Amino acid sequence: MKTVSRSYDSYAQARAAMEAIEKAGIASSNVSIIANKHVSGEHEPVSDAAAGAGIGGVVGGGVGLLAGLGLLVIPGVGPVVAAGWLAAMAVGTAAGVATGGLMGALIGAGIDEEEAAVLSESVRRGGTLVSVRVPEDEVGRVEGLLSIHRPVDVAARAATWRDQGWKTFDPDAPAYRPSETEVERMRREWRDEGMGKQA
């Protein structure tokens, strides 16, 4: 199995991508979504101490992954809204996983270390990550479905952050706390501009 991961600036984009993947017949057990806790209007932010209860419901699948979203804490990222296999790996509850951490989980799933660092930092800064496990012959199709919803250009985003002094993902960095304006941007409905979600 290969892992295809994409980060989105808005939660609405990621939801649209998830829905496209599910409609394409990809089993929900092979899909994961991880979002900064602030970006989903359906989940009120919780204290760091309260987050993390009920990982069993988060890992699930079956009835549609988005129905299983729950709040938990991922080391190095902080409180997130998440569901699926990658979330379980990131908090260290998946079988055979000794330690948590989103970057470690991504690397363990076959993502290049540099890309894993940018994807992890993206979630820390308020983005939403969608990861899909598929057989090698399905990779192109899944990449196409995820690309329709305009994911972050990982190389360009890393270059921008490095211009601002960022070096790599720091698991000891404090949790990102966006302003109200940023929260609105991360949550807002994604408008179709000739690509992506159709009305």
Side-chain angles (χ1 to χ4, degrees):
M1 297 286 273
K2 294 281 188 180
T3 300
V4 180
S5 291
R6 297 290 183 269
S7 178
Y8 298 88
D9 280 329
S10 85
Y11 182 72
Q13 283 172 280
R15 281 195 67 133
M18 288 276 303
E19 287 162 4
I21 291 295
E22 290 190 334
K23 284 178 185 172
I26 305 296
S28 59
S29 60
N30 287 325
V31 185
S32 190
I33 184 168
I34 300 174
N36 183 288
K37 74 172 184 177
H38 298 278
V39 304
S40 169
E42 298 157 23
H43 294 272
E44 286 304 312
V46 296
S47 69
D48 291 2
I55 182 66
V58 175
V59 178
V63 196
L65 196 64
L66 290 170
L69 283 170
L71 289 158
L72 60 125
V73 174
I74 293 179
V77 177
V80 297
V81 177
W85 62 274
L86 188 66
M89 288 178 67
V91 296
T93 62
V97 176
T99 60
L102 181 54
M103 185 169 168
L106 285 164
I107 292 169
I111 301 296
D112 170 82
E113 184 173 344
E114 186 171 340
E115 182 180 356
V118 180
L119 292 172
S120 300
E121 183 69 12
S122 181
V123 174
R124 193 186 77 78
R125 293 189 185 212
T128 301
L129 178 67
V130 175
S131 295
V132 187
R133 293 184 301 197
V134 288
E136 194 156 353
D137 61 354
E138 288 284 319
V139 168
R141 182 170 75 109
V142 168
E143 287 178 337
L145 289 168
L146 294 176
S147 293
I148 290 171
H149 302 284
R150 288 183 285 174
V152 168
D153 180 325
V154 173
R157 188 59 52 90
T160 298
W161 290 340
R162 286 193 177 100
D163 287 345
Q164 299 166 353
W166 181 79
K167 290 184 173 59
T168 190
F169 177 70
D170 179 1
D172 297 320
Y176 183 76
R177 301 195 182 279
S179 66
E180 286 184 25
T181 303
E182 289 173 307
V183 169
E184 277 308 306
R185 176 190 60 76
M186 290 183 278
R187 287 182 180 177
R188 73 174 166 240
E189 192 63 32
W190 182 45
R191 304 297 178 195
D192 178 45
E193 298 173 6
M195 296 175 67
K197 192 165 83 172
Q198 301 297 313

